[in-house]
């Protein structure tokens, strides 16, 4: 009877309000917070300047980096996604190396390499000029674009491969050329399919711009740290930054929702008001596309007088000779790049690498002092330990929250939804700072080592992502199985434990392995609070020897890459075993 009464929406709403009131009462009257909020720090000019203006300047830099890096990422993702489908092996292998290299090394290490190591490849005069041209800003912008582009390339490749082979055969039999098929059939259909995962990558790219603070770019996270270091208003600075990031996440999600609405195929009598708004917003792009169509493809505007444009005619006349020349030039350029890279690696100071390899692997273990974590354990071993602990904890959190997210009862669904969306809407670096600077020491009065603070932050952060994976796995199970279980007399938990979760977990295994790889790479962000994991160990070694950044950061990138790459191969093997019917489209 109680269960039937609790299924009423009014009872669920009252219960939610009651739980919210209890939380507010506890933190307002019972819990000894002992913290006086002072929001005026953002509205009045203080001893160190106007903190509100500082945050606005950081927001402007964040938006600028996000916009430029998103354009770079989309362009590179499209180019390399198509290159991953090429029959010309040098192009295919070059695109594959780009995707695997940048996907399997942390963005923080890439930014350190571009900013601290790459300038030493240039003469001193040029290096000084680079730093006079906002080199850190462009390192962060291009670095984020290249990193995100590698993920987008895989999404676009998968989107193209998802197109039925019959459509390609039909387009070729209709007389369309390869480029016409690509432009008129493949890419429009592929982009309709990949808008949701592409949207996630745009959101991730926006959050990844927070790492620019580590190389001295004055973006939003840097401004936040300046505010709380100058004014000691930790909660105010963190809260404002969190709200701004959540607002940007909602804005990007809204824009992508409009784009998705614009790409939907609708009959004229079923056009929604949102679709009309999207049509108005995209009219300038449609107009520009039609004009470029005539410039690059057709010579006259009138449909009955349309002929091939001079530009297109000249390209057709060039034909196979031009393609052959381009292939030769590409192979020559690739050979030159490989030669330069091989020469640089050959001239590495290998004695420096071997002398510091043990430090990078285990730091000072077992000879660390009392102030260090577990006898000085750190480096690669510390990163692996942190990733293993956090992924186990986040799995259980994700399992519970994911089940709550799929529940029909609002008492379970709404709190789970809020936890997932809030955590997924802010950068991991901000989550780590929240736990280390505010939640653990101030709210829970717990003074933990930085290692454990970062591990707990990673656990709760990836718990939100695993919850979405669990939700997807549960919703993929046919609803008929749930109805059959209910008809058989099984309870909700028995249905989940005996029928739904065993099948869902099997489907989720590749995604969970990928999540562990992401967790391992993101342990590099614990660098920001002083955890001596692999990135922090590399930074410390580089600061000690000073003159060999190429050797140190290349070694660290290889260590991250080797582990992540072999784990990704295992994830792909799992995916093939669980979905054996695959077909690769070559173009």
């Amino acid at each position: 009877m109680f269960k039937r009464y609790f299924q009423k929406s009014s009872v669920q709403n009252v219960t939610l309000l009651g739980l919210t009131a209890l939380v507010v009462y506890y933190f307002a009257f019972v819990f000894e917070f002992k913290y006086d909020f002072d929001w005026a720090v953002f509205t009045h000019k203080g001893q160190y300047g106007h903190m509100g203006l500082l945050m606005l300047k950081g927001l402007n830099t964040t938006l600028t980096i996000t916009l430029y890096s998103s354009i770079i990422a989309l362009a590179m993702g499209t180019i390399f996604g198509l290159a991953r489908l090429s029959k010309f092996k040098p192009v295919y292998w070059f695109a594959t190396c780009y995707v695997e290299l940048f996907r399997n090394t942390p963005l923080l290490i890439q930014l350190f390499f571009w900013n601290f190591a790459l300038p030493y490849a240039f003469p001193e005069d040029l290096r000084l000029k680079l730093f006079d041209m906002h080199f850190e800003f462009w390192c962060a912008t291009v670095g984020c674009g290249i990193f995100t582009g590698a993920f987008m390339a895989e999404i676009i490749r998968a989107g193209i491969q998802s197109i039925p082979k019959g459509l390609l055969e039909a387009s070729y039999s209709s007389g369309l050329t390869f480029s016409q098929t690509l432009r008129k059939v493949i890419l429009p259909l592929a982009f309709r399919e990949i808008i949701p995962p592409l949207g996630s990558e745009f959101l991730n790219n926006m959050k990844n711009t927070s790492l620019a603070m580590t190389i001295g770019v004055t973006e939003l996270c840097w401004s936040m740290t300046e505010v709380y270091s100058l004014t000691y208003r930790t909660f105010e600075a963190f809260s404002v930054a969190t709200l701004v990031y959540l607002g940007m996440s909602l804005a990007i999600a809204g824009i992508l929702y409009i784009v998705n609405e614009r790409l939907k195929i609708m009959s004229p009598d079923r056009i929604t008001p949102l679709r009309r708004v999207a049509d108005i917003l995209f009219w300038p792009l449609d107009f520009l596309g039609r004009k470029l169509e005539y410039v690059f493809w057709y010579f006259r505007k009138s449909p009955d007088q349309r002929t091939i444009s001079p530009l297109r005619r000249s390209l057709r006349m060039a034909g196979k000779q031009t393609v052959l020349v381009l292939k030769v030039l590409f192979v020559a350029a690739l050979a030159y790049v490989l030669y330069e890279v091989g020469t640089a690696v050959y001239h590495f100071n290998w004695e420096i690498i071997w002398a510091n390899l043990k430090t990078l692997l285990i730091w000072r273990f077992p000879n660390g002092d009392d102030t260090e974590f577990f006898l000085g354990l750190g480096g690669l071993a510390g990163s692996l330990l942190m990733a293993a602990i956090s992924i186990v904890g986040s799995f259980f959190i994700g399992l519970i929250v994911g089940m709550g997210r799929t529940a029909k009862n609002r008492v379970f669904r709404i709190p789970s939804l809020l936890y997932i969306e809030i955590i997924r809407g802010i950068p991991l670096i901000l989550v780590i700072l929240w736990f280390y600077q505010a939640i653990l020491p101030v709210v829970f009065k717990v003074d933990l080592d930085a290692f454990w603070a970062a591990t707990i932050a990673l656990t709760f952060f990836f718990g939100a992502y695993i919850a979405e994976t669990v939700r997807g796995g549960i919703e993929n199970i046919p609803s008929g199985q749930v109805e059959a279980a209910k008809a058989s007399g099984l309870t909700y938990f028995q249905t989940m434990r005996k029928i739904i979760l065993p099948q869902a977990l099997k489907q989720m295994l590749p995604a969970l392995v990928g999540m562990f790889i992401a967790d391992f790479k993101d342990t590099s962000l614990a660098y920001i609070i002083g955890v001596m994991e692999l990135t922090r160990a590399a930074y410390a070694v580089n600061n000690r020897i000073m003159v060999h950044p190429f050797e140190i950061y290349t070694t660290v990138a290889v260590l991250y890459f080797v582990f992540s790459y072999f784990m990704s191969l295992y994830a792909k093997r799992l995916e093939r075993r669980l979905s054996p019917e695959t077909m690769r489209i070559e173009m």
Side-chain angles (χ1 to χ4, degrees):
M1 180 178 179
F2 177 77
K3 180 180 178 181
R4 185 180 303 172
Y5 182 74
F6 199 63
Q7 288 177 348
K8 296 181 178 180
S9 59
S10 58
V11 176
Q12 296 172 15
N13 293 336
V14 171
T15 305
L16 278 174
L17 289 174
L19 291 174
T20 304
L22 284 176
V23 172
V24 172
Y25 172 77
Y26 175 77
F27 282 101
F29 301 102
V30 179
F31 182 77
E32 296 182 4
F33 199 54
K34 294 181 181 180
Y35 187 89
D36 295 325
F37 285 91
D38 182 17
W39 298 104
V41 68
F42 295 109
T43 58
H44 295 82
K45 186 176 182 180
Q47 179 182 358
Y48 299 101
H50 202 297
M51 297 296 105
L53 291 178
L54 181 63
M55 294 291 285
L56 287 176
K57 291 179 181 178
L59 174 60
N60 179 61
T61 303
T62 294
L63 291 174
T64 305
I65 296 175
T66 300
L67 178 61
Y68 291 165
S69 59
S70 297
I71 294 172
I72 294 171
L74 185 59
M76 297 193 69
T78 304
I79 293 171
F80 283 96
L82 293 173
R84 287 267 285 156
L85 299 171
S86 174
K87 292 182 179 180
F88 187 53
K89 292 303 180 182
V91 171
Y92 170 76
W93 285 113
F94 178 72
T96 301
C97 290
Y98 161 75
V99 169
E100 297 298 342
L101 176 63
F102 287 98
R103 287 180 69 205
N104 290 298
T105 51
L107 175 58
L108 186 60
I109 287 295
Q110 295 179 31
L111 294 181
F112 281 0
F113 184 86
W114 300 133
N115 189 68
F116 298 131
L118 183 63
Y120 284 90
F122 304 115
E124 185 176 358
D125 294 340
L126 180 57
R127 185 162 66 243
L128 295 176
K129 289 181 180 179
L130 287 175
F131 284 103
D132 290 336
M133 299 169 60
H134 304 288
F135 183 69
E136 295 87 355
F137 171 84
W138 292 111
C139 271
T141 302
V142 178
C144 288
I146 293 174
F147 177 78
T148 309
F151 288 88
M152 287 188 176
E154 278 297 275
I155 293 172
I156 292 171
R157 177 195 62 82
I160 293 174
Q161 284 188 311
S162 67
I163 296 173
K165 192 175 182 181
L167 286 176
L168 301 179
E169 296 172 348
S171 63
Y172 289 142
S173 63
S174 300
L176 296 180
T177 63
F178 165 75
S179 56
Q180 289 173 325
T181 301
L182 183 67
R183 186 170 55 90
K184 295 285 189 180
V185 179
I186 298 173
L187 288 182
L189 291 175
F191 272 98
R192 284 189 177 95
E193 295 292 329
I194 63 179
I195 283 297
L198 273 185
S200 297
E201 290 306 322
F202 281 120
L203 284 171
N204 290 335
N205 181 56
M206 182 273 293
K207 293 184 290 183
N208 286 337
T209 59
S210 60
L211 272 64
M213 66 172 288
T214 60
I215 58 174
V217 180
T218 57
E219 47 73 60
L220 183 58
C221 260
W222 182 91
S223 300
M224 178 198 70
T225 57
E226 281 294 294
V227 170
Y228 82 75
S229 63
L230 293 175
T231 64
Y232 301 102
R233 311 311 303 180
T234 305
F235 277 90
E236 291 87 339
F238 286 5
S239 298
V240 169
T242 300
L243 291 174
V244 171
Y245 274 113
L246 287 175
M248 289 192 293
S249 297
L250 288 174
I252 293 175
I255 293 171
L256 291 169
Y257 184 76
I258 292 175
V259 172
N260 189 39
E261 189 73 11
R262 176 66 179 81
L263 293 176
K264 285 182 180 178
I265 300 175
M266 295 181 180
S267 60
D269 57 332
R270 293 186 178 180
I271 293 180
T272 62
L274 183 60
R275 174 58 179 267
R276 298 183 190 278
V277 173
D279 288 339
I280 294 172
L281 293 176
F282 279 87
W283 180 84
L285 294 178
D286 291 338
F287 179 78
L288 180 62
R290 288 194 298 269
K291 296 302 179 183
L292 292 176
E293 178 91 2
Y294 293 123
V295 172
F296 288 98
W297 293 89
Y298 303 115
F299 185 58
R300 295 182 181 178
K301 295 184 179 180
S302 177
D304 55 346
Q305 297 179 348
R306 194 176 284 176
T307 60
I308 298 297
S309 69
L311 176 61
R312 183 63 184 161
R313 188 182 297 113
S314 63
L315 291 176
R316 280 192 176 182
M317 290 175 61
K320 296 182 179 180
Q321 290 77 11
T322 302
V323 173
L324 181 61
V325 171
L326 290 176
K327 287 182 177 181
V328 172
L329 290 176
F330 178 82
V331 172
L334 187 60
Y336 175 76
V337 170
L338 291 175
Y339 171 77
E340 290 293 331
V341 171
T343 303
V345 172
Y346 177 77
H347 289 97
F348 272 5
N349 190 328
W350 293 96
E351 294 181 1
I352 290 291
I353 295 176
W354 289 115
N356 293 280
L357 185 59
K358 182 180 178 182
T359 301
L360 295 174
L361 292 176
I362 59 174
W363 189 236
R364 296 176 181 172
F365 182 82
N367 301 316
D369 54 42
D370 295 337
T371 62
E372 294 181 287
F373 168 75
F374 192 60
L375 304 177
L377 181 67
L380 179 62
S383 296
L384 288 171
L385 179 62
M386 188 185 303
I389 295 173
S390 60
I391 204 67
V392 171
S394 61
F395 173 76
F396 290 103
I397 292 175
L399 190 62
I400 295 171
V401 175
M403 291 172 59
R405 177 71 176 84
T406 60
K408 294 181 179 179
N409 196 308
R410 297 179 184 179
V411 177
F412 303 108
R413 188 177 74 251
I414 292 179
S416 300
L417 177 64
L418 288 175
Y419 165 72
I420 291 171
E421 296 303 327
I422 290 174
I423 293 295
R424 282 162 53 94
I426 60 178
L428 174 56
I429 195 169
L430 186 54
V431 176
I432 292 174
L433 289 173
W434 261 114
F435 274 87
Y436 183 65
Q437 297 282 356
I439 294 177
L440 293 176
V442 179
V443 177
F444 291 101
K445 305 295 190 297
V446 176
D447 187 17
L448 291 179
D449 184 85
F451 176 89
W452 292 113
T455 304
I456 293 172
L458 286 167
T459 300
F460 279 90
F461 183 80
F462 281 98
Y465 284 84
I466 291 178
E468 278 294 276
T469 304
V470 171
R471 179 190 64 82
I474 292 174
E475 291 181 349
N476 277 338
I477 304 300
S479 58
Q481 297 195 24
V482 179
E483 296 171 356
K486 288 181 179 179
S488 302
L490 296 180
T491 64
Y492 171 80
F493 291 103
Q494 288 175 327
T495 303
M496 281 290 173
R497 184 168 57 90
K498 293 180 176 295
I499 298 175
I500 304 300
L501 288 181
Q503 299 180 74
L505 288 175
K506 182 180 179 182
Q507 297 180 15
M508 293 185 297
L509 276 177
L512 291 176
V513 175
M515 204 66 67
F516 178 72
I517 297 171
D519 192 350
F520 168 66
K521 292 188 296 180
D522 284 342
T523 57
S524 60
L525 301 190
Y527 152 90
I528 200 68
I529 60 173
V531 179
M532 200 54 72
E533 40 70 55
L534 181 53
T535 301
R536 187 77 185 187
Y539 187 79
V541 170
N542 183 62
N543 284 347
R544 188 179 75 240
I545 61 179
M546 294 298 291
V547 294
H548 296 285
F550 265 104
E551 286 84 345
I552 298 302
Y553 287 117
T554 301
T555 302
V556 172
V558 168
L559 291 175
Y560 275 114
F561 173 79
V562 168
F563 181 83
S564 300
Y565 180 68
F566 282 105
M567 287 296 293
S568 66
L569 289 181
Y570 178 69
K572 290 178 182 178
R573 182 181 176 187
L574 275 178
E575 190 173 0
R576 284 195 298 268
R577 287 177 59 187
L578 298 176
S579 54
E581 294 182 3
T582 57
M583 178 176 62
R584 183 176 186 274
I585 297 177
E586 291 187 343
M587 302 173 59

